[in-house]
């Protein structure tokens, strides 16, 4: 084992008993992580890079951490890929960016700070070590005519190829107008020509959703003729992270023709997603799941931030997106419980005594009656004081994660988060619980991610309940999931 692998393992072992630390989601050995970066499949292996501060659980002097997987589920830590280096354009930090295969040369384009510029690095040893390009920065900042309006916000290159040309999108803003993504073109990845903004937001519009004042972390996906643009919206302040948005449309003559827009993920904790195209033709997305607790608690814990599950993204008719966890995750399933035909009402809840746990997958199909409100309680303490509820209300067609009782600790987030769904005859909930991480896929097209931090070690209870009306649980499968770490 290399020294870096041994020290990563030692760090993982030290934190392994933390009851809030997820066990089947990827996260670094210790300390701070945020955005997924440079996702790429190389020689059959999946490479995940990520924004990483190896020294403390705060966002500071960002490096690129690196892990590799052959199955999308189990990960091996590799040495840090990019380190901010004095005298270079990334001296202040190696911020987010992407990976491409340039005719057999793995190449990273990433953000150097401060000021925000575009840097390039290549690898000659299958992504293990990276050589900083001597001509960096390849783009020294926003186009001069836009510089003042951007306030220097210029980051997170996303690069793709069309015919002979490379294109790049850069996250930015136009002061007093809104977020924007700037489009560049190149033939060799080192000389870039600025074309125009691919899209400009309108920060004065609050409906159907506020798109913020700055846009970061763009991704531009091609599904035949159809394109899906993803980006993350930033609010008025530098650290006011809002949410990821998507816009479907077409790309013609270097211009984007938007069609439909929506919120990519609900729940308030998923941010800065990046998507990878794999050799099975799938677009697989990861996002950063933020913490929902004070910095002092992060310092105490010694770690902060976790990757979402890998999620397959595909367009659906009507401008919506299908979002589903990758099927590879089924390899984690251990003990299984199955229930069928349970009738729930206000006087008849259903306690799932056998499957009490904090590391579960649940697949439930409900047939809601008229005017009903029902759901699943998770992480309940024996006295019911701590509990998190996932609730569906038929009148408002809302799915809500109710967290006000999720923790006895008042220093963690305990707000509710709701999403309105398209109701059908059946409500299908696919739930992943991994200690402090709760991810819910609703009807295959709506995804919520949240964080919960129960205090009581025994807050492991599970229960199906109805608050009003009646509901039939057509089927419920529950699996205990294995840890992905061999420690
Ligand atoms: N995080 C990175 C930036 C990006 C932001 C810095 C999004 O490149 O814009 O860690 O979370």
């Amino acid at each position: 084992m290399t020294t870096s692998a041994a020290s990563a393992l030692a760090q993982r072992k030290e934190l392994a008993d933390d009851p809030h630390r997820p066990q089947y989601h990827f996260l670094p050995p210790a300390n701070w992580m945020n955005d997924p970066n440079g996702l790429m499949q190389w020689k059959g292996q999946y490479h995940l890079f990520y924004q990483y501060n190896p020294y403390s659980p705060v966002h500071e002097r960002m490096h690129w951490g690196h892990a590799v997987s052959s199955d999308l589920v189990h990960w091996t830590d590799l040495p840090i890929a990019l380190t901010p280096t004095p005298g270079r354009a990334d001296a202040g930090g190696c911020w987010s960016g992407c990976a491409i295969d340039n005719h057999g040369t793995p190449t990273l384009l990433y953000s150097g700070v401060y000021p925000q510029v575009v840097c390039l690095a290549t690898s000659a040893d299958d992504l293990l070590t990276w050589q900083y390009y001597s001509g960096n920065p390849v783009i020294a900042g926003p186009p001069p005519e836009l510089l003042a309006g951007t306030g220097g916000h210029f980051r997170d290159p996303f690069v793709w190829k069309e015919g002979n040309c490379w294109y790049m999108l850069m996250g930015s803003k136009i002061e007093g107008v809104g977020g924007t993504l700037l489009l560049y073109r190149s033939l060799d990845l080192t000389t870039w020509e600025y074309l125009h903004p691919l899209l400009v937001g309108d920060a004065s519009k609050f409906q159907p959703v506020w798109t913020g004042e700055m846009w970061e972390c763009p991704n531009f996906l091609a599904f035949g003729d159809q394109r899906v643009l993803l980006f993350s919206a930033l609010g008025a302040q530098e650290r006011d992270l809002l949410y990821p948005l998507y816009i479907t449309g077409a790309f013609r003559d270097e211009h984007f023709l938007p069609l439909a827009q929506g919120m990519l993920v609900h729940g308030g904790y998923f941010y800065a997603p990046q998507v990878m195209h794999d050799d099975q033709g799938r677009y697989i997305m990861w996002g950063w799941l933020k913490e929902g607790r004070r910095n002092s608690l992060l310092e105490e814990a010694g770690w902060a931030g976790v990757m979402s599950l890998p999620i397959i993204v595909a367009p659906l008719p009507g401008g919506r997106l299908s979002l589903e966890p990758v099927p590879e995750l089924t390899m984690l399933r251990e003990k299984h419980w199955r229930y069928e035909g349970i009738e729930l009402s206000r006087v008849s809840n259903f306690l799932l005594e056998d499957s009490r746990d904090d590391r579960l997958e649940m697949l439930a199909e409900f047939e809601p009656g008229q005017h009903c409100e029902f759901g699943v309680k998770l992480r309940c303490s024996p006295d019911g004081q701590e509990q998190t509820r996932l609730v569906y209300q038929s009148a408002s067609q809302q799915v809500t994660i109710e967290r006000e009782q999720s923790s006895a600790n008042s220093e963690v987030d305990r707000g509710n988060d709701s999403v309105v769904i398209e109701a059908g005859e059946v409500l299908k909930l696919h739930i992943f619980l991994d200690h402090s991480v709760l991810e819910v896929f609703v009807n295959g097209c709506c995804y919520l991610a949240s964080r919960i931090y129960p205090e009581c070690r025994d807050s492991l209870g599970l229960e199906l309940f109805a608050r009003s009306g009646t509901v039939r649980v057509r089927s419920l499968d529950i699996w205990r999931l294995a840890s992905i770490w061999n420690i």
Side-chain angles (χ1 to χ4, degrees), residues 11-12 15 21 26-37 49-66 80 94-96 239 241 269 271-272 288-299 301-307 451 453:
Q11 284 183 304
R12 288 195 184 280
L15 297 176
R21 193 158 154 95
F26 177 80
L27 77 182
N31 294 314
W32 173 276
M33 68 145 261
N34 52 294
D35 320 351
N37 289 152
F49 300 88
Y50 54 90
Q51 288 286 283
Y52 181 36
N53 175 3
Y55 304 111
S56 69
V58 294
H59 183 275
E60 216 170 64
R61 263 197 102 223
M62 300 313 298
H63 295 53
W64 276 37
H66 186 191
I80 286 173
C94 303
W95 284 18
S96 289
R239 297 259 46 94
L241 312 178
Y269 287 87
Y271 195 75
W288 161 39
L289 297 181
K290 298 182 273 178
E291 296 296 326
R293 45 187 182 159
R294 287 203 188 158
N295 284 352
S296 57
L297 294 176
L298 304 184
E299 294 279 358
W303 62 277
V306 48
M307 240 8 121
R451 302 298 302 271
Y453 304 93

Side-chain angles (χ1 to χ4, degrees), residues 1-2 4-5 8-9 12 26-27 29 45-48 50 65-71 73-79 128 484-485:
M1 197 184 291
T2 62
S4 89
L9 191 64
R12 288 195 184 280
F26 177 80
L27 77 182
Q45 294 213 294
Y46 293 96
H47 288 262
L48 172 63
Y50 54 90
H66 186 191
V68 68
S69 169
S70 48
D71 61 11
V73 175
H74 299 92
W75 296 91
T76 303
D77 294 307
L78 291 178
L128 263 186
I484 59 172
W485 306 108

Side-chain angles (χ1 to χ4, degrees), residues 304-371:
V306 48
M307 240 8 121
S308 71
L309 291 176
I311 297 162
I312 301 178
V313 183
L316 290 170
R320 291 182 313 143
L321 295 185
S322 150
L323 297 169
E324 296 267 25
V326 297
E328 282 88 337
L329 291 165
T330 56
M331 75 176 76
L332 292 173
R333 291 175 178 172
E334 294 184 333
K335 198 162 179 198
H336 178 218
W337 297 267
R338 183 173 170 88
Y339 307 87
E340 283 173 15
I342 306 167
E343 306 286 339
L344 300 176
S345 71
R346 218 158 60 85
V347 289
S348 131
N349 289 355
F350 192 82
L351 198 60
L352 298 154
E353 189 57 44
D354 297 339
S355 44
R356 294 166 49 81
D357 218 305
D358 48 12
R359 214 159 73 208
L360 293 171
E361 175 185 355
M362 301 175 76
L363 195 53
E365 289 193 11
F366 298 93
E367 295 166 14
Q370 297 264 305
H371 310 298

Side-chain angles (χ1 to χ4, degrees), residues 102-333:
N102 179 20
H103 304 290
T105 302
T107 303
L108 304 180
L109 287 124
Y110 66 99
S111 316
V113 297
Y114 304 90
Q116 298 182 6
V117 298
V118 181
C119 294
L120 183 146
T122 54
S123 174
D125 59 1
D126 292 333
L127 285 64
L128 263 186
T129 59
W130 294 88
Q131 285 71 51
Y132 182 79
Y133 171 59
S134 58
N136 276 333
V138 292
I139 307 182
E145 66 273 26
L146 296 183
L147 181 61
T150 63
H153 288 274
F154 184 70
R155 55 183 178 266
D156 311 335
F158 175 84
V159 175
W160 78 103
K161 200 164 199 188
E162 310 257 345
N164 286 334
C165 287
W166 294 103
Y167 287 91
M168 180 194 287
L169 285 178
M170 288 299 295
S172 190
K173 69 182 279 187
I174 300 177
E175 189 61 46
V177 180
T180 188
L181 300 175
L182 306 177
L183 182 64
Y184 287 76
R185 186 175 58 196
S186 171
L187 288 174
D188 60 6
L189 293 172
T190 55
T191 311
W192 290 90
E193 177 193 359
Y194 170 63
L195 298 177
H196 44 254
L198 187 78
L199 199 67
V200 181
D202 182 350
S204 67
K205 255 178 70 185
F206 290 88
Q207 293 300 331
V209 56
W210 189 46
T211 65
E213 297 197 340
M214 192 261 157
W215 290 353
E216 42 188 13
C217 302
N219 286 245
F220 199 39
L221 320 179
F223 298 89
D225 285 345
Q226 202 180 345
R227 299 291 165 123
V228 177
L229 180 65
L230 310 180
F231 58 89
S232 290
L234 199 69
Q237 306 295 324
E238 178 73 8
R239 297 259 46 94
D240 181 12
L241 312 178
L242 295 178
Y243 27 67
L245 296 162
Y246 75 88
I247 305 184
T248 61
F251 185 60
R252 281 196 206 115
D253 304 325
E254 299 177 333
H255 286 85
F256 183 56
L257 312 169
L259 264 176
Q261 170 190 322
M263 186 93 96
L264 181 66
V265 180
H266 305 266
Y269 287 87
F270 179 106
Y271 195 75
Q274 193 171 111
V275 182
M276 178 186 75
H277 199 230
D278 82 347
D279 58 10
Q280 297 178 42
R282 308 180 293 183
Y283 277 112
I284 305 173
M285 169 177 85
W286 282 265
W288 161 39
L289 297 181
K290 298 182 273 178
E291 296 296 326
R293 45 187 182 159
R294 287 203 188 158
N295 284 352
S296 57
L297 294 176
L298 304 184
E299 294 279 358
E300 249 170 65
W303 62 277
V306 48
M307 240 8 121
S308 71
L309 291 176
I311 297 162
I312 301 178
V313 183
L316 290 170
R320 291 182 313 143
L321 295 185
S322 150
L323 297 169
E324 296 267 25
V326 297
E328 282 88 337
L329 291 165
T330 56
M331 75 176 76
L332 292 173
R333 291 175 178 172

Side-chain angles (χ1 to χ4, degrees), residues 341-411:
I342 306 167
E343 306 286 339
L344 300 176
S345 71
R346 218 158 60 85
V347 289
S348 131
N349 289 355
F350 192 82
L351 198 60
L352 298 154
E353 189 57 44
D354 297 339
S355 44
R356 294 166 49 81
D357 218 305
D358 48 12
R359 214 159 73 208
L360 293 171
E361 175 185 355
M362 301 175 76
L363 195 53
E365 289 193 11
F366 298 93
E367 295 166 14
Q370 297 264 305
H371 310 298
C372 58
E373 208 173 313
F374 62 90
V376 186
K377 290 182 194 170
L378 304 141
R379 305 243 27 202
C380 309
S381 57
D383 62 3
Q385 291 297 306
E386 279 190 328
Q387 55 175 269
T388 300
R389 292 177 300 271
L390 181 64
V391 186
Y392 177 67
Q393 193 188 39
S394 64
S396 59
Q397 298 185 190
Q398 272 187 348
V399 174
T400 304
I401 298 179
E402 295 181 347
R403 291 189 302 170
E404 75 271 19
Q405 279 178 264
S406 62
S407 176
N409 185 347
S410 58
E411 293 187 3

